[in-house]
Amino acid sequence: VAGRAAHNPLHAHRSSSVGSRIRGGREGAAGVSYLARREERWWRRQSNSTGWGGSLSGIRSGRRGRGASKEGRVMSSSSARDEEASARASVKRHEYGHGDVKLFGYVAEGAATASRPRPAVLVVHTAIGPHEEFIMDKLRRLAELGYVAFGVDMFGAEAVVLGEEKVRYNKQFKDDRKLLQSRILAAFHEAASLPFTDASRVAAIGYCFGGKAVLDLARSGVEGLRASISFHGILDAPVELEGTPITARVVAFHGSRDPFIALEDKLSFHSEMESRCRGSKKWQMVEFGGCYHAFTRPDKTQESDRTQGLFYDEYAAEKSWAMMVDVLAEEM
């Protein structure tokens, strides 16, 4: 699919309460990190120039773009209770653990989750951690669709990680894929154990590093996982993990110009999925022509980003999200 680069996202919305927590943590008196400041300026600039800053529900009602009509169709088929939940989606901090490691995730839910168990969707962060608006936006949008959205924390840091700290947190999982799978399984079981979650209907989506994590979750064959969806994630299969049959639906979105995914990686992933997935329709790989790594991130719009192989593409971001919504509706 031919991608088209652009500079404005479909959904520009901020949460002051969650944002204040994101801006806290290790940054302390020094304020937010460079990345957080840059992203915050970007969101404010978009809100001022487009008037989108007030309400997600207004955007979804049909005033904006392709993604709105897709999600509108999903919401139109929901009950009145689900529509009420859409207007009340909130994100709350949720602490849990993995062994001796304390983790700082998030849960987003609507009013309907309190009345009956709902399917859950794990959202796994990029290489900088979950404590940023990019992840908060995904959690809110999923909650507005009627899901329990669980923001996974793979690192145990209380703020975004950058520089050497970022390298250290990511290297431990690159060196030990058993640890990565064990950590994402801990998040899966935590989300499934929530009193308002239907443990038999859980899915996971992930971005970049998180894409690798949700693919390894699918590779575990854990019962109750309905779908794992990777956005510009790393595709390589861990050699140290057993070749368990994959029973969940697997979808991988990536860009044709992603410098982190070589042709041989795509071919290996294809062979792996063909041999491990049960059913001919259980996996898909969707490539967006002309798109780079991080094509879903609206803060990646500078030429300096492009030279690093990172660049936002509005069409690919909206289209992949809409396709994900369809997959969740089919599998959950």
Side-chain angles (χ1 to χ4, degrees):
V1 179
R4 298 193 296 275
H7 301 276
N8 54 334
L10 178 60
H11 302 284
H13 177 71
R14 297 195 62 81
S15 167
S16 58
S17 61
V18 173
S20 64
R21 289 196 293 272
I22 297 170
R23 291 191 289 271
R26 296 186 183 177
E27 298 297 326
V32 297
S33 66
Y34 167 76
L35 178 62
R37 289 197 304 271
R38 175 178 167 185
E39 186 178 67
E40 184 165 354
R41 287 196 300 270
W42 191 93
W43 286 102
R44 187 183 300 116
R45 188 164 62 247
Q46 294 305 307
S47 296
N48 292 339
S49 64
T50 66
W52 291 353
S55 171
L56 280 172
S57 59
I59 296 172
R60 291 207 178 96
S61 65
R63 292 202 297 263
R64 176 69 186 169
R66 292 172 294 272
S69 61
K70 177 68 70 175
E71 294 186 17
R73 287 195 294 272
V74 173
M75 288 305 300
S76 66
S77 65
S78 301
S79 65
R81 181 177 292 170
D82 290 346
E83 292 178 357
E84 181 183 4
S86 171
R88 299 188 195 174
S90 62
V91 181
K92 298 178 182 178
R93 186 77 166 263
H94 182 85
E95 294 187 7
Y96 65 107
H98 176 226
D100 296 331
V101 179
K102 194 173 184 179
L103 301 168
F104 307 93
Y106 297 91
V107 174
E109 53 178 309
T113 57
S115 60
R116 55 193 171 94
R118 306 301 301 272
V121 181
L122 279 64
V123 180
V124 192
H125 54 80
T126 69
I128 65 174
H131 313 295
E132 58 159 341
E133 172 60 22
F134 179 78
I135 296 297
M136 300 303 117
D137 175 62
K138 304 301 179 285
L139 294 172
R140 285 191 294 266
R141 291 168 68 181
L142 286 164
E144 288 161 5
L145 290 173
Y147 299 105
V148 176
F150 187 88
V152 175
D153 178 15
M154 295 290 288
F155 295 160
E158 294 190 65
V160 295
V161 295
L162 302 170
E164 293 182 3
E165 189 178 32
K166 171 185 170 183
V167 172
R168 177 170 59 85
Y169 274 107
N170 284 270
K171 187 176 186 300
Q172 64 178 326
F173 295 110
K174 183 177 181 180
D175 294 343
D176 189 350
R177 293 288 284 276
K178 287 185 177 180
L179 174 62
L180 187 152
Q181 190 177 77
S182 179
R183 183 70 53 85
I184 189 62
L185 278 168
F188 173 88
H189 292 302
E190 180 70 16
S193 70
L194 296 174
F196 38 80
T197 293
D198 180 347
S200 68
R201 295 188 293 163
V202 181
I205 70 172
Y207 297 84
C208 186
F209 164 82
K212 174 193 284 188
V214 302
L215 291 176
D216 277 8
L217 179 62
R219 289 172 173 124
S220 74
V222 63
E223 185 178 354
L225 180 67
R226 297 294 188 91
S228 280
I229 303 171
S230 167
F231 295 83
H232 43 82
I234 308 304
L235 304 177
D236 64 306
V239 295
E240 62 268 41
L241 298 180
E242 297 179 5
T244 306
I246 295 174
T247 57
R249 175 89 168 268
V250 174
V251 182
F253 298 111
H254 66 95
S256 65
R257 297 183 183 179
D258 189 328
F260 305 106
I261 306 296
L263 177 59
E264 51 267 31
D265 296 327
K266 301 174 191 178
L267 296 175
S268 295
F269 182 75
H270 181 282
S271 297
E272 179 196 7
M273 292 298 106
E274 284 288 284
S275 64
R276 295 180 63 179
C277 288
R278 293 178 176 174
S280 60
K281 296 181 180 179
K282 275 294 185 180
W283 76 275
Q284 288 84 39
M285 178 188 291
V286 181
E287 182 170 275
F288 291 94
C291 293
Y292 295 83
H293 192 71
F295 61 79
T296 64
R297 293 199 61 107
D299 56 321
K300 302 299 181 185
T301 58
Q302 305 300 313
E303 283 306 311
S304 58
D305 296 320
R306 197 195 299 271
T307 59
Q308 298 178 60
L310 317 171
F311 209 76
Y312 175 66
D313 186 278
E314 182 184 32
Y315 175 80
E318 293 182 14
K319 189 67 173 179
S320 58
W321 180 269
M323 294 173 73
M324 177 212 73
V325 170
D326 280 349
V327 170
L328 293 180
E330 291 169 5
E331 300 299 330
M332 304 273 272

